[in-house]
Amino acid sequence: MALFRWGHSWDAFHDLEREVDRLLQSVNLSFQGLRFGRQYPPVNLYELPTEYLITAELPGVNSEELELTIANGVLSMTGRHASPEGTTEERYRRQERPRGVWQRSISLPDRVRSDNLSAEFVNGILKIHLPKAEEVKPRQIPVAFGT
Amino acid sequence: MTTELTHTAKNGNAPAPHPPVERLVFTPPIDIYETDAGLILRADLPGVSLDTLDLQVQDNKLTLFGRMQPSVPDNARLLHQEYETGDFLRSFILSDEVDHQHIAAKLNNGVLEVVLPKADKPEPRRIPVQTS
């Protein structure tokens, strides 16, 4: 039966991957006050009665170079940290701010109306409004009493 | 601009927060680079607006203090958190090569840019020596 099992031969790796993910998640990586060395922009996710709200810290990212896409319940953000043109490496005395291109993908917690997203970018904070789909909102079910 | 001050929460020169609520204080990441005209300092201050930014030069100390504005409504329930809101604070000692009078700054998309122009070196002055 080896032929039939061949297609599942990577299962062991998936298990390992899952285990490593679980292990990493259990490590608390939040250092208070430390705001450098983060290559990926930090993201917060909030829930409101009618929508989900994603906020991301993106200081120094040009809004023209910011790209948001949504597909299959995954929101992807791509952007670039702008750095001054024509400044050579040896002219830097300090270099702590992140540089270069980054990408983040976020699994959305529930069904959202992906045709009705809106985003705003103020003071280096990106806010994405994700309205909840109708079926996610609680619905009253009338109960009829039979006699 | 060669020395950076390390500060504590008890930094006396920092503007005192108005609400008695304890707020987190962060050290913002910065870049400093040279141009022909002087030095440029850039600091990442996401969530800080012009109204909540305070930039001071006192004696030879440059202090930047920024307060993050809350960006979500009060009834928002936090599901996942990777950053916290608080205040940004960082201080620097300016060297003599910086022209203190002509420091300029602008805030754009959460990035503060401070232009620190080079000070003109005073011309050597000849002192006449007299014989008595």
Side-chain angles (χ1 to χ4, degrees):
Chain A
M1 283 295 151
L3 266 179
F4 289 99
R5 288 175 54 195
W6 185 81
H8 301 286
S9 60
W10 295 100
D11 272 2
F13 292 99
H14 289 312
D15 287 345
L16 181 70
E17 195 184 346
R18 261 199 302 276
E19 276 302 299
V20 172
D21 279 351
R22 199 180 54 79
L23 209 69
L24 286 177
Q25 274 166 12
S26 65
V27 180
N28 189 3
L29 289 172
S30 63
F31 298 99
Q32 255 191 20
L34 188 78
R35 286 208 161 225
F36 6 134
R38 293 198 291 209
Q39 279 305 310
Y40 301 99
V43 164
N44 283 0
L45 174 64
Y46 300 89
E47 186 181 0
L48 284 149
T50 55
E51 63 175 12
Y52 292 100
L53 189 60
I54 289 175
T55 61
E57 286 190 334
L58 304 172
V61 174
N62 287 331
S63 50
E64 304 88 60
E65 290 179 314
L66 188 62
E67 200 180 294
L68 297 176
T69 53
I70 185 163
N72 302 323
V74 175
L75 177 81
S76 296
M77 301 190 283
T78 312
R80 195 174 68 85
H81 291 290
S83 47
E85 300 281 327
T87 303
T88 50
E89 209 61 32
E90 64 267 18
R91 296 204 133 191
Y92 275 94
R93 294 201 186 174
R94 290 278 178 98
Q95 220 293 315
E96 298 169 355
R97 297 168 63 229
R99 289 198 275 185
V101 178
W102 53 265
Q103 181 175 21
R104 282 211 70 164
S105 298
I106 298 153
S107 296
L108 299 174
D110 241 317
R111 282 177 185 277
V112 294
R113 291 170 59 196
S114 49
D115 55 334
N116 205 6
L117 303 188
S118 61
E120 57 200 285
F121 193 31
V122 182
N123 290 332
I125 302 247
L126 176 72
K127 260 166 89 172
I128 310 167
H129 299 272
L130 308 147
K132 286 182 186 173
E134 285 298 322
E135 57 262 41
V136 179
K137 291 179 188 163
R139 191 160 53 87
Q140 287 286 339
I141 301 166
V143 181
F145 288 97
T147 47
Chain B
M1 163 162 285
T2 40
T3 325
E4 186 190 341
L5 289 182
T6 50
H7 52 256
T8 60
K10 289 185 200 128
N11 193 324
N13 287 327
H18 290 297
V21 188
E22 196 171 303
R23 288 174 66 94
L24 296 170
V25 178
F26 305 116
T27 304
I30 57 152
D31 285 353
I32 298 172
Y33 60 92
E34 286 172 51
T35 64
D36 296 335
L39 292 171
I40 308 279
L41 183 152
R42 285 190 179 183
D44 279 349
L45 306 172
V48 174
S49 68
L50 270 185
D51 302 331
T52 57
L53 177 68
D54 187 45
L55 194 64
Q56 276 186 13
V57 179
Q58 193 181 25
D59 300 329
N60 60 346
K61 192 171 100 174
L62 174 78
T63 303
L64 68 92
F65 177 82
R67 172 159 289 178
M68 289 176 85
Q69 297 284 85
S71 55
V72 293
D74 287 341
N75 61 338
R77 191 167 68 94
L78 189 64
L79 297 181
H80 174 75
Q81 185 174 41
E82 291 176 356
Y83 72 89
E84 291 177 277
T85 50
D87 300 330
F88 291 108
L89 176 66
R90 204 157 171 177
S91 311
F92 308 89
I93 296 287
L94 299 173
S95 67
D96 291 338
E97 63 179 297
V98 173
D99 182 354
H100 293 204
Q101 299 304 317
H102 295 97
I103 297 173
K106 58 185 172 186
L107 183 68
N108 194 11
N109 269 353
V111 179
L112 172 72
E113 184 176 299
V114 186
V115 180
L116 305 157
K118 264 185 218 159
D120 291 329
K121 288 238 168 64
E123 292 288 312
R125 193 162 56 90
R126 188 169 287 274
I127 301 165
V129 182
Q130 293 174 334
T131 50
S132 53

